Amino acid sequence: MDDIIRKYLIISCMALLLSILPSFLSPLKLQVRFLGYAWILVIFALNSIVYLLIYILVEHIKVVGVALLVSFIALFSEFYIAWSAIFDNLNMGYFTIFLAFMEFYIMFRFSKELIKGFIVLFILAIIEVLVYNIFYILI
């Protein structure tokens, strides 16, 4: 296993565990709503910004520690939202946790192959919107 991916897994597990307590003590008030398909572009754009930042930090500036810190902050915020959903009895929080792991794994896995990473992140954005809309219909 690549050293940076091993470090990413440690950072993501730390973010997952550290986000439980704040989510439990002060959860966000979330509402389930239908996501229009324009949200695919919004989600893709936000993930692309983080992905480009990680790509630049890892490949060009060679500062892996800062890239891991950026991913920790972004993962912590995603996990905070996911745990808030779980504590509010919204099952989509479990999917959000899985999806956050997948998104950031792809960002580090394809940190040398920018175009492949963008393609996979776009596919994940489509899947995310479709699954959240299915949750909306089922609830």
Side-chain angles (χ1 to χ4, degrees):
M1 183 182 290
D2 202 8
D3 188 47
I4 191 168
I5 294 176
R6 184 178 300 114
K7 290 177 183 176
Y8 152 73
L9 290 173
I10 293 169
I11 290 291
S12 57
C13 289
M14 286 174 43
L16 177 69
L17 294 174
L18 290 174
S19 63
I20 294 173
L21 187 61
S23 299
F24 181 73
L25 295 177
S26 178
L28 298 172
K29 302 298 178 207
L30 302 171
Q31 295 178 343
V32 180
R33 65 185 185 136
F34 184 80
L35 296 178
Y37 294 109
W39 275 94
I40 293 172
L41 297 176
V42 172
I43 292 167
F44 175 69
L46 293 173
N47 285 336
S48 295
I49 291 169
V50 176
Y51 180 49
L52 277 174
L53 186 59
I54 289 172
Y55 174 77
I56 291 169
L57 289 170
V58 170
E59 289 303 312
H60 295 290
I61 302 177
K62 308 283 189 207
V63 186
V64 175
V66 177
L68 290 170
L69 179 65
V70 167
S71 70
F72 175 81
I73 293 168
L75 278 167
F76 184 87
S77 63
E78 284 205 41
F79 290 148
Y80 178 72
I81 294 168
W83 283 116
S84 295
I86 291 168
F87 292 139
D88 203 21
N89 290 327
L90 298 174
N91 290 330
M92 68 183 68
Y94 297 108
F95 178 71
T96 304
I97 289 174
F98 170 73
L99 197 65
F101 273 111
M102 287 301 298
E103 288 169 350
F104 282 88
Y105 174 77
I106 287 166
M107 288 180 194
F108 280 99
R109 170 66 178 85
F110 293 111
S111 64
K112 296 180 192 307
E113 305 169 72
L114 196 60
I115 301 300
K116 284 184 185 178
F118 279 128
I119 292 169
V120 176
L121 284 175
F122 187 74
I123 292 169
L124 277 178
I126 293 170
I127 291 170
E128 183 173 0
V129 169
L130 290 175
V131 169
Y132 285 151
N133 287 341
I134 290 170
F135 275 117
Y136 175 77
I137 291 169
L138 293 177
I139 293 178

